[in-house]
mmCIF file of all heavy atoms in Angstrom:
data_model
loop_
_atom_site.group_PDB
_atom_site.id
_atom_site.type_symbol
_atom_site.label_atom_id
_atom_site.label_comp_id
_atom_site.label_asym_id
_atom_site.label_seq_id
_atom_site.Cartn_x
_atom_site.Cartn_y
_atom_site.Cartn_z
ATOM 1 N N LEU V 1 101.130 113.093 96.839
ATOM 2 C CA LEU V 1 101.505 114.418 96.351
ATOM 3 C C LEU V 1 103.014 114.638 96.500
ATOM 4 O O LEU V 1 103.672 115.178 95.628
ATOM 5 C CB LEU V 1 100.705 115.536 97.119
ATOM 6 C CG LEU V 1 99.301 115.673 96.713
ATOM 7 C CD1 LEU V 1 98.538 116.519 97.708
ATOM 8 C CD2 LEU V 1 99.161 116.230 95.304
ATOM 9 N N ARG V 2 103.620 114.188 97.631
ATOM 10 C CA ARG V 2 105.066 114.281 97.825
ATOM 11 C C ARG V 2 105.813 113.467 96.768
ATOM 12 O O ARG V 2 106.850 113.839 96.250
ATOM 13 C CB ARG V 2 105.446 113.845 99.184
ATOM 14 C CG ARG V 2 105.269 114.866 100.271
ATOM 15 C CD ARG V 2 106.018 114.539 101.569
ATOM 16 N NE ARG V 2 105.643 113.256 102.107
ATOM 17 C CZ ARG V 2 104.558 112.987 102.869
ATOM 18 N NH1 ARG V 2 103.798 114.012 103.263
ATOM 19 N NH2 ARG V 2 104.323 111.758 103.272
ATOM 20 N N TRP V 3 105.237 112.200 96.461
ATOM 21 C CA TRP V 3 105.809 111.352 95.495
ATOM 22 C C TRP V 3 105.774 112.024 94.117
ATOM 23 O O TRP V 3 106.794 112.082 93.452
ATOM 24 C CB TRP V 3 105.046 110.040 95.479
ATOM 25 C CG TRP V 3 105.237 109.190 94.291
ATOM 26 C CD1 TRP V 3 106.371 108.428 93.968
ATOM 27 C CD2 TRP V 3 104.382 108.963 93.191
ATOM 28 N NE1 TRP V 3 106.238 107.847 92.803
ATOM 29 C CE2 TRP V 3 105.063 108.101 92.282
ATOM 30 C CE3 TRP V 3 103.063 109.402 92.875
ATOM 31 C CZ2 TRP V 3 104.431 107.666 91.086
ATOM 32 C CZ3 TRP V 3 102.495 108.973 91.727
ATOM 33 C CH2 TRP V 3 103.189 108.169 90.805
ATOM 34 N N LEU V 4 104.659 112.613 93.753
ATOM 35 C CA LEU V 4 104.549 113.278 92.476
ATOM 36 C C LEU V 4 105.514 114.495 92.382
ATOM 37 O O LEU V 4 106.211 114.681 91.388
ATOM 38 C CB LEU V 4 103.085 113.770 92.254
ATOM 39 C CG LEU V 4 102.859 114.598 90.981
ATOM 40 C CD1 LEU V 4 103.194 113.745 89.728
ATOM 41 C CD2 LEU V 4 101.414 115.030 90.956
ATOM 42 N N GLU V 5 105.558 115.286 93.473
ATOM 43 C CA GLU V 5 106.480 116.425 93.511
ATOM 44 C C GLU V 5 107.976 115.925 93.289
ATOM 45 O O GLU V 5 108.715 116.520 92.551
ATOM 46 C CB GLU V 5 106.384 117.128 94.832
ATOM 47 C CG GLU V 5 107.346 118.304 95.062
ATOM 48 C CD GLU V 5 107.323 118.833 96.510
ATOM 49 O OE1 GLU V 5 106.511 118.377 97.338
ATOM 50 O OE2 GLU V 5 108.188 119.658 96.779
ATOM 51 N N ASN V 6 108.340 114.880 93.981
ATOM 52 C CA ASN V 6 109.687 114.339 93.885
ATOM 53 C C ASN V 6 109.947 113.810 92.451
ATOM 54 O O ASN V 6 111.051 114.053 91.874
ATOM 55 C CB ASN V 6 109.873 113.171 94.892
ATOM 56 C CG ASN V 6 111.283 112.693 94.905
ATOM 57 O OD1 ASN V 6 112.196 113.477 95.096
ATOM 58 N ND2 ASN V 6 111.464 111.409 94.825
ATOM 59 N N CYS V 7 108.994 113.157 91.810
ATOM 60 C CA CYS V 7 109.172 112.711 90.408
ATOM 61 C C CYS V 7 109.351 113.872 89.492
ATOM 62 O O CYS V 7 110.231 113.798 88.566
ATOM 63 C CB CYS V 7 107.904 111.883 90.001
ATOM 64 S SG CYS V 7 107.782 110.235 90.795
ATOM 65 N N LEU V 8 108.645 114.942 89.659
ATOM 66 C CA LEU V 8 108.740 116.140 88.826
ATOM 67 C C LEU V 8 110.148 116.774 88.982
ATOM 68 O O LEU V 8 110.774 117.114 87.993
ATOM 69 C CB LEU V 8 107.647 117.168 89.124
ATOM 70 C CG LEU V 8 106.237 116.782 88.812
ATOM 71 C CD1 LEU V 8 105.214 117.691 89.397
ATOM 72 C CD2 LEU V 8 106.013 116.703 87.276
ATOM 73 N N ARG V 9 110.573 116.858 90.253
ATOM 74 C CA ARG V 9 111.915 117.462 90.473
ATOM 75 C C ARG V 9 113.021 116.567 89.895
ATOM 76 O O ARG V 9 113.980 117.071 89.375
ATOM 77 C CB ARG V 9 112.112 117.674 91.999
ATOM 78 C CG ARG V 9 111.253 118.828 92.570
ATOM 79 C CD ARG V 9 111.565 119.129 94.019
ATOM 80 N NE ARG V 9 110.534 119.824 94.745
ATOM 81 C CZ ARG V 9 110.386 121.156 94.553
ATOM 82 N NH1 ARG V 9 111.153 121.894 93.716
ATOM 83 N NH2 ARG V 9 109.399 121.816 95.175
ATOM 84 N N ARG V 10 112.832 115.252 90.040
ATOM 85 C CA ARG V 10 113.882 114.365 89.601
ATOM 86 C C ARG V 10 113.918 114.397 88.059
ATOM 87 O O ARG V 10 115.014 114.438 87.461
ATOM 88 C CB ARG V 10 113.548 112.886 90.062
ATOM 89 C CG ARG V 10 114.430 111.848 89.485
ATOM 90 C CD ARG V 10 115.887 111.952 89.935
ATOM 91 N NE ARG V 10 115.852 111.839 91.414
ATOM 92 C CZ ARG V 10 116.891 111.340 92.093
ATOM 93 N NH1 ARG V 10 117.931 110.897 91.474
ATOM 94 N NH2 ARG V 10 116.811 111.289 93.367
ATOM 95 N N ALA V 11 112.820 114.502 87.424
ATOM 96 C CA ALA V 11 112.803 114.610 85.941
ATOM 97 C C ALA V 11 113.489 115.876 85.468
ATOM 98 O O ALA V 11 114.255 115.926 84.529
ATOM 99 C CB ALA V 11 111.322 114.535 85.435
ATOM 100 N N ALA V 12 113.276 116.972 86.263
ATOM 101 C CA ALA V 12 113.900 118.263 85.885
ATOM 102 C C ALA V 12 115.386 118.130 86.039
ATOM 103 O O ALA V 12 116.115 118.578 85.124
ATOM 104 C CB ALA V 12 113.350 119.391 86.891
ATOM 105 N N GLU V 13 115.869 117.523 87.123
ATOM 106 C CA GLU V 13 117.309 117.327 87.296
ATOM 107 C C GLU V 13 117.932 116.501 86.210
ATOM 108 O O GLU V 13 118.974 116.796 85.664
ATOM 109 C CB GLU V 13 117.589 116.615 88.669
ATOM 110 C CG GLU V 13 117.331 117.535 89.862
ATOM 111 C CD GLU V 13 117.382 116.772 91.149
ATOM 112 O OE1 GLU V 13 117.927 115.619 91.241
ATOM 113 O OE2 GLU V 13 116.884 117.238 92.165
ATOM 114 N N ASP V 14 117.282 115.419 85.888
ATOM 115 C CA ASP V 14 117.766 114.534 84.817
ATOM 116 C C ASP V 14 117.865 115.226 83.481
ATOM 117 O O ASP V 14 118.793 115.035 82.751
ATOM 118 C CB ASP V 14 116.868 113.208 84.696
ATOM 119 C CG ASP V 14 117.000 112.343 85.884
ATOM 120 O OD1 ASP V 14 117.920 112.477 86.695
ATOM 121 O OD2 ASP V 14 116.118 111.425 86.019
ATOM 122 N N ARG V 15 116.832 116.003 83.189
ATOM 123 C CA ARG V 15 116.806 116.748 81.932
ATOM 124 C C ARG V 15 117.916 117.740 81.875
ATOM 125 O O ARG V 15 118.506 118.027 80.838
ATOM 126 C CB ARG V 15 115.448 117.354 81.645
ATOM 127 C CG ARG V 15 114.416 116.289 81.325
ATOM 128 C CD ARG V 15 113.063 116.841 81.168
ATOM 129 N NE ARG V 15 112.158 115.691 80.958
ATOM 130 C CZ ARG V 15 110.922 115.750 80.648
ATOM 131 N NH1 ARG V 15 110.328 116.864 80.485
ATOM 132 N NH2 ARG V 15 110.242 114.618 80.468
ATOM 133 N N GLU V 16 118.204 118.407 82.987
ATOM 134 C CA GLU V 16 119.311 119.396 82.996
ATOM 135 C C GLU V 16 120.658 118.702 82.882
ATOM 136 O O GLU V 16 121.533 119.136 82.120
ATOM 137 C CB GLU V 16 119.342 120.210 84.314
ATOM 138 C CG GLU V 16 118.299 121.316 84.253
ATOM 139 C CD GLU V 16 118.233 122.118 85.573
ATOM 140 O OE1 GLU V 16 118.798 121.675 86.640
ATOM 141 O OE2 GLU V 16 117.752 123.245 85.487
ATOM 142 N N GLU V 17 120.861 117.549 83.585
ATOM 143 C CA GLU V 17 122.138 116.878 83.537
ATOM 144 C C GLU V 17 122.336 116.271 82.137
ATOM 145 O O GLU V 17 123.453 116.405 81.599
ATOM 146 C CB GLU V 17 122.123 115.704 84.545
ATOM 147 C CG GLU V 17 122.280 116.184 85.959
ATOM 148 C CD GLU V 17 122.162 115.033 86.964
ATOM 149 O OE1 GLU V 17 122.333 113.845 86.606
ATOM 150 O OE2 GLU V 17 121.896 115.323 88.105
ATOM 151 N N ASP V 18 121.364 115.622 81.574
ATOM 152 C CA ASP V 18 121.483 114.894 80.318
ATOM 153 C C ASP V 18 121.341 115.815 79.108
ATOM 154 O O ASP V 18 121.859 115.512 78.021
ATOM 155 C CB ASP V 18 120.418 113.797 80.183
ATOM 156 C CG ASP V 18 120.471 112.831 81.284
ATOM 157 O OD1 ASP V 18 121.533 112.775 82.019
ATOM 158 O OD2 ASP V 18 119.539 112.075 81.508
ATOM 159 N N GLY V 19 120.656 116.934 79.280
ATOM 160 C CA GLY V 19 120.377 117.781 78.108
ATOM 161 C C GLY V 19 119.436 117.139 77.120
ATOM 162 O O GLY V 19 119.268 117.687 75.970
ATOM 163 N N VAL V 20 118.779 116.087 77.522
ATOM 164 C CA VAL V 20 117.862 115.400 76.618
ATOM 165 C C VAL V 20 116.532 115.153 77.390
ATOM 166 O O VAL V 20 116.556 114.919 78.639
ATOM 167 C CB VAL V 20 118.422 113.969 76.288
ATOM 168 C CG1 VAL V 20 117.501 113.270 75.298
ATOM 169 C CG2 VAL V 20 119.814 114.086 75.680
ATOM 170 N N SER V 21 115.431 115.278 76.657
ATOM 171 C CA SER V 21 114.124 115.055 77.310
ATOM 172 C C SER V 21 113.446 113.821 76.707
ATOM 173 O O SER V 21 113.351 113.698 75.481
ATOM 174 C CB SER V 21 113.213 116.270 77.129
ATOM 175 O OG SER V 21 113.698 117.376 77.777
ATOM 176 N N HIS V 22 113.067 112.943 77.564
ATOM 177 C CA HIS V 22 112.281 111.749 77.172
ATOM 178 C C HIS V 22 110.998 111.768 78.015
ATOM 179 O O HIS V 22 111.067 112.199 79.166
ATOM 180 C CB HIS V 22 113.051 110.418 77.449
ATOM 181 C CG HIS V 22 114.306 110.306 76.730
ATOM 182 N ND1 HIS V 22 114.431 110.143 75.371
ATOM 183 C CD2 HIS V 22 115.620 110.416 77.121
ATOM 184 C CE1 HIS V 22 115.708 110.099 74.992
ATOM 185 N NE2 HIS V 22 116.411 110.255 76.092
ATOM 186 N N PRO V 23 109.938 111.239 77.522
ATOM 187 C CA PRO V 23 108.738 111.077 78.366
ATOM 188 C C PRO V 23 109.124 110.113 79.585
ATOM 189 O O PRO V 23 109.854 109.176 79.347
ATOM 190 C CB PRO V 23 107.697 110.422 77.484
ATOM 191 C CG PRO V 23 108.185 110.630 76.169
ATOM 192 C CD PRO V 23 109.646 110.731 76.191
ATOM 193 N N VAL V 24 108.675 110.505 80.765
ATOM 194 C CA VAL V 24 108.953 109.720 81.976
ATOM 195 C C VAL V 24 107.641 109.111 82.473
ATOM 196 O O VAL V 24 106.746 109.905 82.855
ATOM 197 C CB VAL V 24 109.682 110.529 83.015
ATOM 198 C CG1 VAL V 24 109.961 109.769 84.288
ATOM 199 C CG2 VAL V 24 110.934 111.172 82.439
ATOM 200 N N PRO V 25 107.551 107.786 82.562
ATOM 201 C CA PRO V 25 106.347 107.208 83.173
ATOM 202 C C PRO V 25 106.307 107.458 84.670
ATOM 203 O O PRO V 25 107.315 107.456 85.333
ATOM 204 C CB PRO V 25 106.456 105.758 82.796
ATOM 205 C CG PRO V 25 107.903 105.528 82.578
ATOM 206 C CD PRO V 25 108.498 106.789 82.138
ATOM 207 N N LEU V 26 105.112 107.735 85.166
ATOM 208 C CA LEU V 26 104.823 107.830 86.578
ATOM 209 C C LEU V 26 104.422 106.431 87.067
ATOM 210 O O LEU V 26 103.303 106.041 86.952
ATOM 211 C CB LEU V 26 103.779 108.852 86.931
ATOM 212 C CG LEU V 26 104.179 110.314 86.683
ATOM 213 C CD1 LEU V 26 102.904 111.145 86.843
ATOM 214 C CD2 LEU V 26 105.237 110.718 87.645
ATOM 215 N N VAL V 27 105.325 105.682 87.653
ATOM 216 C CA VAL V 27 105.060 104.335 88.123
ATOM 217 C C VAL V 27 104.788 104.291 89.591
ATOM 218 O O VAL V 27 105.819 104.473 90.344
ATOM 219 C CB VAL V 27 106.203 103.363 87.720
ATOM 220 C CG1 VAL V 27 105.897 101.944 88.103
ATOM 221 C CG2 VAL V 27 106.513 103.418 86.203
ATOM 222 N N PRO V 28 103.613 104.104 90.016
ATOM 223 C CA PRO V 28 103.310 104.027 91.449
ATOM 224 C C PRO V 28 103.801 102.756 92.048
ATOM 225 O O PRO V 28 103.301 101.704 91.686
ATOM 226 C CB PRO V 28 101.753 104.228 91.475
ATOM 227 C CG PRO V 28 101.285 103.718 90.201
ATOM 228 C CD PRO V 28 102.411 103.936 89.183
ATOM 229 N N LEU V 29 104.763 102.840 92.961
ATOM 230 C CA LEU V 29 105.302 101.572 93.529
ATOM 231 C C LEU V 29 104.710 101.250 94.913
ATOM 232 O O LEU V 29 105.027 100.198 95.495
ATOM 233 C CB LEU V 29 106.826 101.739 93.650
ATOM 234 C CG LEU V 29 107.552 101.974 92.338
ATOM 235 C CD1 LEU V 29 109.025 102.176 92.548
ATOM 236 C CD2 LEU V 29 107.341 100.776 91.442
ATOM 237 N N THR V 30 103.802 102.100 95.402
ATOM 238 C CA THR V 30 103.132 101.770 96.624
ATOM 239 C C THR V 30 101.696 101.729 96.385
ATOM 240 O O THR V 30 101.181 102.318 95.448
ATOM 241 C CB THR V 30 103.473 102.861 97.784
ATOM 242 O OG1 THR V 30 102.824 104.053 97.378
ATOM 243 C CG2 THR V 30 104.937 103.107 97.945
ATOM 244 N N GLU V 31 101.013 101.021 97.312
ATOM 245 C CA GLU V 31 99.526 100.967 97.155
ATOM 246 C C GLU V 31 98.883 102.304 97.308
ATOM 247 O O GLU V 31 97.951 102.635 96.559
ATOM 248 C CB GLU V 31 98.998 99.967 98.241
ATOM 249 C CG GLU V 31 97.561 99.559 97.976
ATOM 250 C CD GLU V 31 97.103 98.441 98.954
ATOM 251 O OE1 GLU V 31 98.007 97.636 99.350
ATOM 252 O OE2 GLU V 31 95.889 98.430 99.227
ATOM 253 N N GLU V 32 99.380 103.144 98.154
ATOM 254 C CA GLU V 32 98.883 104.487 98.401
ATOM 255 C C GLU V 32 98.981 105.293 97.115
ATOM 256 O O GLU V 32 98.030 105.950 96.706
ATOM 257 C CB GLU V 32 99.662 105.146 99.497
ATOM 258 C CG GLU V 32 99.146 106.572 99.852
ATOM 259 C CD GLU V 32 100.007 107.292 100.878
ATOM 260 O OE1 GLU V 32 101.233 106.940 101.064
ATOM 261 O OE2 GLU V 32 99.479 108.162 101.561
ATOM 262 N N ASN V 33 100.128 105.205 96.416
ATOM 263 C CA ASN V 33 100.319 106.010 95.179
ATOM 264 C C ASN V 33 99.458 105.348 94.044
ATOM 265 O O ASN V 33 98.871 106.042 93.234
ATOM 266 C CB ASN V 33 101.771 106.032 94.765
ATOM 267 C CG ASN V 33 102.595 106.820 95.717
ATOM 268 O OD1 ASN V 33 102.073 107.588 96.545
ATOM 269 N ND2 ASN V 33 103.920 106.708 95.627
ATOM 270 N N GLU V 34 99.296 104.064 94.085
ATOM 271 C CA GLU V 34 98.484 103.391 93.044
ATOM 272 C C GLU V 34 96.978 103.855 93.183
ATOM 273 O O GLU V 34 96.382 104.148 92.205
ATOM 274 C CB GLU V 34 98.531 101.863 93.284
ATOM 275 C CG GLU V 34 98.906 101.066 92.067
ATOM 276 C CD GLU V 34 99.057 99.595 92.411
ATOM 277 O OE1 GLU V 34 98.047 98.899 92.303
ATOM 278 O OE2 GLU V 34 100.189 99.206 92.749
ATOM 279 N N ASP V 35 96.535 103.893 94.421
ATOM 280 C CA ASP V 35 95.181 104.349 94.687
ATOM 281 C C ASP V 35 94.961 105.828 94.196
ATOM 282 O O ASP V 35 94.001 106.156 93.579
ATOM 283 C CB ASP V 35 94.827 104.267 96.192
ATOM 284 C CG ASP V 35 94.691 102.796 96.658
ATOM 285 O OD1 ASP V 35 94.625 101.865 95.822
ATOM 286 O OD2 ASP V 35 94.712 102.592 97.896
ATOM 287 N N ALA V 36 95.990 106.619 94.481
ATOM 288 C CA ALA V 36 95.915 108.027 94.091
ATOM 289 C C ALA V 36 95.893 108.125 92.515
ATOM 290 O O ALA V 36 95.086 108.959 91.994
ATOM 291 C CB ALA V 36 97.147 108.789 94.573
ATOM 292 N N MET V 37 96.554 107.232 91.834
ATOM 293 C CA MET V 37 96.629 107.312 90.378
ATOM 294 C C MET V 37 95.277 106.813 89.743
ATOM 295 O O MET V 37 95.111 106.972 88.568
ATOM 296 C CB MET V 37 97.772 106.474 89.811
ATOM 297 C CG MET V 37 99.171 107.090 90.153
ATOM 298 S SD MET V 37 99.410 108.689 89.525
ATOM 299 C CE MET V 37 99.632 108.366 87.816
ATOM 300 N N GLU V 38 94.389 106.265 90.580
ATOM 301 C CA GLU V 38 93.069 105.900 90.105
ATOM 302 C C GLU V 38 92.028 106.927 90.556
ATOM 303 O O GLU V 38 90.838 106.825 90.195
ATOM 304 C CB GLU V 38 92.672 104.542 90.667
ATOM 305 C CG GLU V 38 93.581 103.462 90.099
ATOM 306 C CD GLU V 38 93.402 102.074 90.802
ATOM 307 O OE1 GLU V 38 92.520 101.970 91.664
ATOM 308 O OE2 GLU V 38 94.182 101.136 90.472
ATOM 309 N N ASN V 39 92.419 107.955 91.286
ATOM 310 C CA ASN V 39 91.515 108.961 91.807
ATOM 311 C C ASN V 39 91.218 109.985 90.737
ATOM 312 O O ASN V 39 92.149 110.602 90.154
ATOM 313 C CB ASN V 39 92.189 109.625 93.029
ATOM 314 C CG ASN V 39 91.374 110.724 93.729
ATOM 315 O OD1 ASN V 39 90.934 111.657 93.026
ATOM 316 N ND2 ASN V 39 91.271 110.633 95.009
ATOM 317 N N ARG V 40 89.987 110.274 90.483
ATOM 318 C CA ARG V 40 89.515 111.236 89.454
ATOM 319 C C ARG V 40 90.102 112.627 89.651
ATOM 320 O O ARG V 40 90.609 113.268 88.706
ATOM 321 C CB ARG V 40 88.088 111.192 89.348
ATOM 322 C CG ARG V 40 87.481 111.966 88.160
ATOM 323 C CD ARG V 40 85.915 111.870 88.153
ATOM 324 N NE ARG V 40 85.287 112.196 89.421
ATOM 325 C CZ ARG V 40 85.101 113.446 89.828
ATOM 326 N NH1 ARG V 40 85.440 114.456 89.025
ATOM 327 N NH2 ARG V 40 84.477 113.717 90.964
ATOM 328 N N ARG V 41 90.090 113.076 90.882
ATOM 329 C CA ARG V 41 90.637 114.451 91.166
ATOM 330 C C ARG V 41 92.115 114.535 91.065
ATOM 331 O O ARG V 41 92.678 115.509 90.624
ATOM 332 C CB ARG V 41 90.153 114.912 92.534
ATOM 333 C CG ARG V 41 88.638 115.184 92.598
ATOM 334 C CD ARG V 41 88.151 115.429 93.997
ATOM 335 N NE ARG V 41 88.795 116.579 94.566
ATOM 336 C CZ ARG V 41 88.158 117.446 95.255
ATOM 337 N NH1 ARG V 41 86.838 117.371 95.461
ATOM 338 N NH2 ARG V 41 88.816 118.491 95.808
ATOM 339 N N PHE V 42 92.818 113.364 91.387
ATOM 340 C CA PHE V 42 94.260 113.326 91.159
ATOM 341 C C PHE V 42 94.573 113.439 89.694
ATOM 342 O O PHE V 42 95.519 114.058 89.254
ATOM 343 C CB PHE V 42 94.865 112.087 91.793
ATOM 344 C CG PHE V 42 96.312 112.161 92.167
ATOM 345 C CD1 PHE V 42 96.723 112.791 93.285
ATOM 346 C CD2 PHE V 42 97.224 111.526 91.309
ATOM 347 C CE1 PHE V 42 98.084 112.853 93.576
ATOM 348 C CE2 PHE V 42 98.571 111.582 91.627
ATOM 349 C CZ PHE V 42 99.058 112.240 92.757
ATOM 350 N N HIS V 43 93.759 112.746 88.838
ATOM 351 C CA HIS V 43 93.858 112.855 87.420
ATOM 352 C C HIS V 43 93.807 114.280 86.943
ATOM 353 O O HIS V 43 94.481 114.748 86.071
ATOM 354 C CB HIS V 43 92.863 111.973 86.699
ATOM 355 C CG HIS V 43 93.118 110.502 86.730
ATOM 356 N ND1 HIS V 43 92.295 109.616 86.135
ATOM 357 C CD2 HIS V 43 94.087 109.793 87.237
ATOM 358 C CE1 HIS V 43 92.753 108.354 86.337
ATOM 359 N NE2 HIS V 43 93.902 108.483 87.029
ATOM 360 N N THR V 44 92.765 114.995 87.486
ATOM 361 C CA THR V 44 92.583 116.415 87.151
ATOM 362 C C THR V 44 93.854 117.195 87.411
ATOM 363 O O THR V 44 94.292 118.018 86.651
ATOM 364 C CB THR V 44 91.332 116.940 87.890
ATOM 365 O OG1 THR V 44 90.198 116.208 87.550
ATOM 366 C CG2 THR V 44 91.119 118.378 87.466
ATOM 367 N N LEU V 45 94.406 116.942 88.671
ATOM 368 C CA LEU V 45 95.675 117.621 88.981
ATOM 369 C C LEU V 45 96.783 117.278 87.968
ATOM 370 O O LEU V 45 97.490 118.168 87.542
ATOM 371 C CB LEU V 45 96.066 117.204 90.412
ATOM 372 C CG LEU V 45 97.457 117.776 90.858
ATOM 373 C CD1 LEU V 45 97.388 119.272 91.002
ATOM 374 C CD2 LEU V 45 97.897 117.159 92.157
ATOM 375 N N LEU V 46 96.930 116.031 87.640
ATOM 376 C CA LEU V 46 97.969 115.664 86.726
ATOM 377 C C LEU V 46 97.836 116.415 85.354
ATOM 378 O O LEU V 46 98.806 116.885 84.800
ATOM 379 C CB LEU V 46 97.948 114.112 86.472
ATOM 380 C CG LEU V 46 98.249 113.242 87.708
ATOM 381 C CD1 LEU V 46 98.044 111.816 87.344
ATOM 382 C CD2 LEU V 46 99.706 113.474 88.094
ATOM 383 N N ARG V 47 96.544 116.496 84.875
ATOM 384 C CA ARG V 47 96.283 117.243 83.674
ATOM 385 C C ARG V 47 96.631 118.713 83.760
ATOM 386 O O ARG V 47 97.251 119.330 82.923
ATOM 387 C CB ARG V 47 94.837 117.076 83.225
ATOM 388 C CG ARG V 47 94.543 115.790 82.581
ATOM 389 C CD ARG V 47 93.169 115.757 81.878
ATOM 390 N NE ARG V 47 92.943 114.478 81.209
ATOM 391 C CZ ARG V 47 92.410 113.455 81.889
ATOM 392 N NH1 ARG V 47 92.080 113.537 83.105
ATOM 393 N NH2 ARG V 47 92.268 112.286 81.219
ATOM 394 N N GLN V 48 96.262 119.306 84.953
ATOM 395 C CA GLN V 48 96.607 120.710 85.144
ATOM 396 C C GLN V 48 98.080 120.990 85.168
ATOM 397 O O GLN V 48 98.564 122.020 84.804
ATOM 398 C CB GLN V 48 96.026 121.196 86.526
ATOM 399 C CG GLN V 48 94.516 121.354 86.520
ATOM 400 C CD GLN V 48 93.949 121.787 87.917
ATOM 401 O OE1 GLN V 48 94.673 121.970 88.831
ATOM 402 N NE2 GLN V 48 92.644 121.846 87.921
#
């Protein structure tokens, strides 16, 4: 959740600085984040 929060904030900062929006992939670099990205309830949160 902290990783996701950080990714969202970083994307917001980048979009403000660049003035351009591109889709940003959420690449889980740790096993813990990878496991979360396979969790059905985590998917529900991402959609929300």
Side-chain angles (χ1 to χ4, degrees):
L1 287 167
R2 278 193 309 272
W3 165 72
L4 177 59
E5 177 190 353
N6 189 49
C7 289
L8 293 168
R9 289 186 197 283
R10 175 66 60 150
E13 288 170 19
D14 290 348
R15 289 176 185 188
E16 280 180 342
E17 284 175 21
D18 303 343
V20 183
S21 292
H22 300 289
V24 177
L26 289 173
V27 182
L29 298 176
T30 67
E31 194 171 330
E32 182 185 24
N33 293 346
E34 235 176 90
D35 291 346
M37 292 303 285
E38 294 171 5
N39 180 309
R40 190 176 52 79
R41 289 172 61 138
F42 202 80
H43 285 179
T44 302
L45 175 66
L46 295 173
R47 280 193 180 87
Q48 287 177 3

